[in-house]
Amino acid sequence: MYSQPRWWKTFFTPNRYSHEQIPDLTGKVAIVTGANCGLGYATTVALAGNGAHVFLACRSQERAMDAIVKVKNEIKEKYPDAPEPKLEFLELDLNDMRKSREAARNFLGKNLPLHILVCNSGIMMTPFNLSADGIEQQFAVNHIGHFIFATALVDKLKESQPSRVVVLSSMGHEAAPAGGIDFDTLNDETKTSTLGRYGRSKLANILFAKALAHRLENEKVYVNVAHPGYVATELTRHTEASFGATVDRITRVMTNMVAMKPEVGALTQLYLATSPEIENLDIRGRYFIPIANEIRPTAYSYDKELQEKLWTFTENLVKEKIGA
C-alpha cells in the first residue's frame, strides 16, 4: 500500500472544499455514526453549525452526551450567529447485528426525514477478535454493522430525496488479501494479517457503497466514498496491542508530525455530504481523497461481480444470524 503513488498523492492534492463553502443546512436531518470523537465529532460540529438536526449514532450514551455539550460550546465559538443546535443521541452498536437494526428502527420511529447519512464509525488494525455475532470484528463493525444500519434506512432516504450517503473507507483498502474478500476464511486468524483484515473491511466499504449507488441510480440519493487521509484520531489506539510498543511510539511521533486535525480531515466527507456539486454533477459511487479530490481505488473496487457477491453474502449472513 505505502509503495503506491496513490497513497502518497493524498499528501499533495489540493484543498477543494472548506468549511466556508458548506451551505445552509436548515431543515436537513443527518445521522453521523461514531460522532462522539474524531472525524465524526468534527463532522457533527460542521453539520449542526450550519443548521442541520444531527443524530449522534454512538454505542455509549455517556460519551455521546458529553460530546453534545462540547459540540454546542464549539458551535457558539465557531458559528456565533447560528441558532441553538439540534443534537440528539441515537444508540448504535455496530458490533452487534441486532442492535444495528434496532438503531435504524428507533430512528424511523421518530417519523423524521433523513437527508444525510455519514457512515463514519470504524475500528482499525485491532487484535483479532470476534463480534457479538461471531464474525471477525473489523469486518463486522466496519462493514456489516453499517450495511444493516444503512439498508434499513434506504426507504427513508428515498422519501427524503435529494439525500446523501457517505461511506468512509481508507487507502488501507489496498491491503486487502488476494481476491479482495476471502469469504470462506473470514474468521480464520491464520489466513490474514491485522493489516489485511483492516484492508478487507475497507474494501468492503467501497464495494458496498458502489453496489448501493447502483441500486439507487434512478433516485436522487447520492452515495459516495471518502478516504479522510492521515488524521489524528483515536483510530490508532490499538497500535500497541497489535504491533508492539515500538511501532506505537513511531506512530505517535508520525501522527504528531504530519497528521491532519479532525476538522480538516472531515472536509472530504463534508464535501460529499453537503456540496451542491454532488447533485449538480450527478456524482455517485465515486471515491474521494483529501481534500475533496476524486481518485480511482483498486481494481477490486470496480468488480461488479465481487460487489454483488459481497451484498448477497452479507444479506445471507444477516438472515442466518438475526433473521430477515
Side-chain angles (χ1 to χ4, degrees):
M1 176 179 70
Y2 301 111
S3 64
Q4 298 296 317
R6 276 188 295 254
W7 191 83
W8 293 102
K9 186 177 180 181
T10 65
F11 289 93
F12 303 105
T13 47
N15 294 343
R16 294 192 55 254
Y17 204 57
S18 67
H19 287 91
E20 290 70 30
Q21 291 173 273
I22 299 174
D24 180 19
L25 300 174
T26 302
K28 302 292 186 182
V29 179
I31 299 175
V32 180
T33 71
N36 60 279
C37 63
L39 290 165
Y41 174 88
T43 300
T44 298
V45 171
L47 294 176
N50 284 281
H53 180 177
V54 183
F55 284 81
L56 291 80
C58 307
R59 184 177 56 181
S60 167
Q61 181 172 7
E62 180 181 2
R63 294 188 70 186
M65 298 310 293
D66 287 345
I68 285 174
V69 173
K70 287 176 60 182
V71 169
K72 288 182 176 180
N73 290 334
E74 192 164 335
I75 287 174
K76 287 179 182 178
E77 295 177 8
K78 291 184 174 179
Y79 305 91
D81 298 325
E84 181 67 19
K86 294 181 179 179
L87 300 159
E88 292 189 51
F89 165 65
L90 179 68
E91 184 176 356
L92 170 64
D93 185 353
L94 294 167
N95 190 56
D96 187 307
M97 291 187 188
R98 290 187 187 279
K99 290 181 179 178
S100 296
R101 177 183 287 173
E102 183 179 350
R105 290 175 174 172
N106 286 341
F107 175 80
L108 293 173
K110 297 178 183 295
N111 295 315
L112 291 169
L114 178 60
H115 305 99
I116 300 169
L117 171 60
V118 183
C119 297
N120 165 86
S121 185
I123 56 177
M124 183 175 79
M125 292 191 274
T126 55
F128 183 85
N129 206 346
L130 299 179
S131 71
D133 304 285
I135 309 300
E136 190 277 310
Q137 194 170 44
Q138 291 188 84
F139 191 81
V141 171
N142 295 347
H143 167 61
I144 295 177
H146 276 126
F147 178 97
I148 294 169
F149 187 62
T151 54
L153 296 171
V154 163
D155 286 344
K156 180 60 67 174
L157 287 159
K158 289 163 67 175
E159 288 175 18
S160 310
Q161 59 186 291
S163 53
R164 314 279 182 94
V165 179
V166 183
V167 179
L168 262 70
S169 182
S170 167
M171 277 291 183
H173 80 277
E174 295 189 18
I181 308 289
D182 51 328
F183 296 97
D184 296 330
T185 55
L186 272 178
N187 283 0
D188 189 337
E189 183 180 1
T190 68
K191 297 296 184 182
T192 50
S193 65
T194 300
L195 177 60
R197 291 189 289 273
Y198 177 67
R200 178 175 62 197
S201 73
K202 293 289 99 180
L203 175 60
N205 290 148
I206 301 176
L207 294 168
F208 165 61
K210 285 184 173 291
L212 182 59
H214 176 69
R215 284 163 169 76
L216 296 170
E217 63 185 356
N218 295 320
E219 308 286 346
K220 291 184 178 180
V221 182
Y222 301 86
V223 184
N224 290 288
V225 187
H227 160 61
Y230 191 3
V231 186
T233 70
E234 293 184 7
L235 263 185
T236 58
R237 65 188 180 274
H238 299 288
T239 303
E240 183 173 358
S242 295
F243 301 105
T246 300
V247 174
D248 182 54
R249 284 194 294 271
I250 293 170
T251 300
R252 290 176 185 275
V253 171
M254 288 292 294
T255 299
N256 291 334
M257 288 174 60
V258 302
M260 291 181 282
K261 293 181 179 179
E263 55 264 34
V264 178
L267 282 170
T268 300
Q269 61 209 67
L270 285 166
Y271 165 75
L272 296 174
T274 66
S275 174
E277 279 189 1
I278 303 303
E279 292 172 31
N280 294 341
L281 301 178
D282 196 31
I283 296 172
R284 301 167 181 267
R286 315 250 283 267
Y287 177 74
F288 287 78
I289 64 173
I291 301 288
N293 292 278
E294 186 178 2
I295 195 172
R296 288 181 65 85
T298 61
Y300 287 135
S301 306
Y302 293 91
D303 186 333
K304 291 187 178 180
E305 184 177 340
L306 185 58
Q307 293 169 17
E308 291 306 311
K309 185 176 181 180
L310 175 65
W311 189 285
T312 301
F313 173 85
T314 308
E315 276 190 330
N316 290 339
L317 188 59
V318 173
K319 289 177 184 176
E320 174 191 329
K321 296 292 184 179
I322 62 172

